[in-house]
Structure formats: structure tokens, C-alpha cells
Amino acid sequence: MLKKIALSAALAAAFAPAMADEGQWQPHQLPQLKAELKRIGITIPAERLADLSKHPMSAMVSLDGCSASFVSPDGLVVTNHHCAYGAIQRNSTAEKNYIANGFLAKTRAEELPGGPTTRVYVTDKLENVTARVNDGLDKLSGKARHEEVKKRIKALIAECESDKIYRCSVPAFHRGAEYYRIRQMMIKDVRLVYAPAESIGNYGGDIDNYEWPRHTGDYSFLRAYVGKDGRPADPSPDNVPYKSKDFLVVSAEGLKNGDPILLAGYPGRTSRYKLPVEIRFARDSNYPAMVADYQADLDAIDAATKGKPNDVVRYASVVKSINNRMKKTQGLLDGFARKDIAAIKDAQDAGFRTWYGKQPNASAAMLAELDAAIAADMALTSEEFAYGVATYSDLLKSARTLYRLALEKQKPDAERESGFQERDIANIKGRLTRLEQSLVASVDQARYTAGLQRYAKLDAKLHPQGLDALVPAADAVPAMYAQSKLADTKARLAWMDAAPAAFEQSDDPFIKLAVRMHQVALSLEDRRKEVDGNLEKFIPQYMGAVIAWKKSQGKPVYPDANSTLRVTYGTVSAYSPKDGLTKGPFTTVEGIVEKFTGKDPFDAPKGLLEAVKAKRYGQFKDPVLGTVPVNFLSSADTTGGNSGSAIVNKRGELIGLNFDSTYESITKDWYFDTDITRAIHLDVRYMLWVMKEVDHADNLLQEMKIKYPKK
């Protein structure tokens, strides 16, 4: 086994020069990349990029699943249209459909509530707490180790959240080799300011999703509000716009092929350091099952909402999210078929193991224990998937959450499971309340019935022990919905204050089912803790060795994405997806007209088409293209969660928003292929042009500081 000092040294010296534009870098790593940033033409000092309190990093925020940035001193936030889609949907009805028609608040008073779970997170502090999490755990493994790690993390979080305006977290980096405590100011009053019509914000719909060329105006605006004392507060009409310390200047000067860009945001998850066996599990088992399940759920929703416009609106955000996950997962499968990434990883793994075997104190036992832990993880993952299929109901999910909350409340706060502590109560209430705008009992019933039917067809070996005797028959489901009161928001929220005994005596069919299922859920949870505890023991040892190995080859070493603030860089770049075909880096408004059919999803607004026909391009006309650019490609390293990430030029001015990747790039979550990996961005000139020529959002254009091209 490598000594601890070897792991620490490997991590400390892991910042080898990057190759190509690969890497989702922690801000504090950037001073190690000065040469790379200079090579592509970035003029912002690397030390400034590493400082979260200085521009431009101080303007970057998280939306809990998406990225965004401040673009005015009054808390105005720009992000993707699809990132604000939930807020747009929750304020929409069939009669007042902001999804289809767009929304613009001309005054602050007209801004609409973003919803009970919409948050803006401003990261302001980061500390390395690896020693406080990992020291003294050598003799522990399995569940005992996992629970000790969680206990330490909860203590670190409680210490950090002494001021309740902050939300703190202690995520793992390098699969548990390092831990950082991250403090974020959590702004809870977030309002919808402006979103273009879906025929702009989602032009091309699911047909164009992950495709290039693209012509999507994927942007929207929110505003963060705080109490009159400047501190985050619950939503209130008395709140005032947050005075953002820094904000991005918006540049309409544009880019050209080969220009450098920086991208900052909160990428969700990548798997670049996983082993070949984990790739094969995803490719051959887990992902195909997920794709089939997504499609079946979409079919159930479609059948249940057909001919019911209000129901379609209520489930619009759900459907969009499922479609996006399904296309990405299918894209991963197609990518695995196109390039044998498992075989590439086989060669890398063999090279690593050969190198490792020659190191002082190398341990064959560690590798064997690692392989066993990963095998256990994959087996349990399949059972957890089956459990999810068997519980495909928002009402059942609510009942399970409420019963677990009642049980956890019996414990001292520090001993409760993460997700059920006092710090989590507001979020639980928000999720339960949000169903008021996104739940239709008849649709939920159809989804649950279909889920139970799919569960019955799964291999019985994947069924969690004891679950089959508890799940209802599909034909019993209608009666459950008829008898339950959980679809009513007031009744649902009332259970938040109930004691366990009340649940155990309840006649509500979903509450009764949640109580009966609880022991099966606990059994799965205990097994997950055992598996995770072993992974947490062996993977950091493995990662320390991998980092040292990569460093010896001069290869880039950065942590997998984990929803924390990262910076990546690249250049505006064309690419060749296959022999004889090259795709240029820009699309233009003329492409919108070429794709136009008059029918969804290629039905552009009349005002936009007229503006293109009249060539009313003004200051947003690109001198090379001779028209207004819509989207552009770069070689930046992105993934899910980077949606809405600010794209800045060499001076740190906003010139675009990240929103997608090309279909050929989807496998970058597992393997970064320099030749074909391209991210898709909204060109800010198109956003500004639509705001001026189509939606007449003059109030926002005046609020932002916009840098126009020199005449």
C-alpha cells in the first residue's frame, strides 16, 4: 500500500501542464496553468481567477443543478432558458402560457416568483479539510467507516453554518482522496424576470438537442432578492434586489474562429477515472436499462396528458428533463459503440498496474480489494434501479419522505441522516409544495401503474429482498389514488409535523405503503453504506497512485466534476465528426429561417422572421459572417451542470452562455477526445439582438453594462 505521504505528495504536485483543452479545474489550480492560459491568449491573471472574491469569479453563481452569473449590480442573473424552465412552467397555465409565449417583466413589481425550491448560491469560501475527514480511519471499513466519515462531514457543515445565511457542503474530490468545505450564501427569494418564447429558447426542441448545427436562444433572466438589511431572507414583497458585489460586463464585440474563451460554472458529474469494468457495466447493463425506463415513463405521461392542455403544461418541465437525460444516456451508448472506450481504458489500466507494481510499498491486496468493492457497488446499483422502478410515484415518494422525516426527528439533529436535519426542513417543504404546480393525480397514477408493470418484468434476481410482497398489484393502484389525500398540498404539508405513530396508524394507502416499505429501504441503505465505506477506503489509495502515475507522464490531473465551481478554457473551434465532413464553429439567424417549418419545434416567431428578412442586424452584425451569429462551438471541457455557465473572452467579459454539447461529445463524461469534443454555446449577440428587435426588453438592455463594437 502506498504510504499516506505518497498520496499527499501526488496530490500536491498533480498540476502538470494540461494537454489540449481537457480539464475541469478547481479555481485554486489555475496559477499552475499560467503557461496554458497564456498559450491560448487569456489575459486575465491566473491569480485573480483563483480568487473567489475577485472579478470575474465573484460574479459566477450556482442554481442548484445549473450555472449562472450576475450581469447587473441589482442581482440580475442570466442563465439558460432550460435552467429557468421550472420557474416558467410553474407560473404558466394553458390560458397564460409563458412557456409558449415567453415572459417579460417591464418593472420589478411584475417579476414572478421563481418557486419554492429556486435558489441562487454565491460561493465565497473554500477550505481543504481532508485531514479532518480522513485522519485516523485506517482501521475502519464498510458501514462503520462510511458513518464516521458522514459524522465528521456533518460536524464540519454545522460549524460552517453558524450563520444561517450560508449553505455549506463537504464534497469529495478525486473520489475521496481530498475533501473541501465550501461555503455558499444561499439566496431564497429568486424571481423570474424574462424568458423568450419557447420557439426561441428551445428552437429545434428535442430533435436538435445535442446536435450541430444549432439555432437555439437558450437564455433567461432571474433576479435575486434579499431583506432590506442585505441578508438572504424568505420570499417577501418587502425584499429588495441583491446588490451583487461584482457582475459581468456583456460584450457585443463578438468572437472569431480560434479566439480564446474561459468558461466558469458548476459541472455535475464525470467519470474520467473509473475502471474498465465500470464502463462495461454502464455500457452493457445500466445505461440500456435507464434508456428503456425513460422512454416508458415518457410514453406513460404522453398517454395520460393527451388532449389535456393544462396537464401538458404541468408536466412540461418533467418531460423536458426526462427527454434530456434519455438523449444524453443514449448518446453515451452510441459513443461507446463508435469508439471502444472500455478497450482504451483497458490499455490505460494495464499500463497503470504495471507501473504501480514497480513502486515501493505497492500492494496487490489493495487492487484486489478495490476490484471487489467495485463489483459490490455494481451489483447493488442494479437492485437500487429496480427499487426506483417499483416506487415510480410522486405521492409515494412524498409519503416515504414524510415518514422518514418523522423517524429522523426522534433523534438529536447531529445524529439524523443527511437530508433530514433541521437545515433540510425548508428544502423538504419546498419540494412538497412544488408538486402543487407539477402534479396531476391521474398522471401520477398512470406513471406508477406503468412502473409497477415494468418492475414485474425485470429479472427477479434484481428485485430487492422483501419488496415483491409489498408492492401493490397494478390493478389496485386506482383505488389508492381515490382514497389518498396526499395530492392536496395542505394535507401533504400537514404530515411534516406528525409523529411516527400517526403514520403507523394512518389509513392513507400511500402512507401505509411507505411504512411497510421502510425496512426494505433501510436494508438497501445499510448495504449502500457498507459498499460506500469500502469504496471510500480503497479508491483514495488507488487515486493517489493514479495521480502519481499521470504526473510521471506529464498528463493533466484534475478531479472529476462534482457540482462544485470549476473553470475550463478553450478556443472557438470547428470539428470533423467523420471523414470528409467538417462543421464550422458558428450558426446564424439565416439558419433559423432555413429550418423554419411553421410547426413545433421549428416555428420561429413572426417578429424574428421579419427582422431577419429586413436584415435589421444593427450593432450585432458580425463583420465576417455579415449577419447575427446564434450559436458557436468551442473546445472547452463541459458536462451537465455547466448549463448556463458564463463564457467570457480573454478580458473576462460575457460573450456567451454554455448550454449543450455535440452528440459526438457526450462520451467526454468518461473519456475526453480532443478531436471531436465540442461544447455548444449561445452567442450573446443573438441574445441581445432578440431582446432589442423581437422582445423589446429595453429595460434590461439599459440595466446591463453592454460593450458594443467600435464603429
Side-chain angles (χ1 to χ4, degrees), residues 367-381:
L367 293 177
E369 288 168 322
L370 172 69
D371 292 340
I374 289 172
D377 175 46
M378 293 186 298
L380 182 55
T381 296

Side-chain angles (χ1 to χ4, degrees), residues 299-346:
D299 291 344
I301 294 172
D302 182 61
T305 58
K306 192 174 292 293
K308 302 172 183 176
N310 271 313
D311 293 359
V312 170
V313 169
R314 278 180 172 255
Y315 278 84
S317 183
V318 174
V319 167
K320 186 177 180 67
S321 176
I322 297 171
N323 265 317
N324 189 61
R325 295 197 304 272
M326 182 175 72
K327 188 160 188 178
K328 178 170 183 175
T329 309
Q330 184 60 56
L332 284 163
L333 289 172
D334 291 345
F336 290 151
R338 185 169 53 249
K339 176 169 281 192
D340 194 347
I341 295 173
I344 294 172
K345 291 282 187 176
D346 280 336

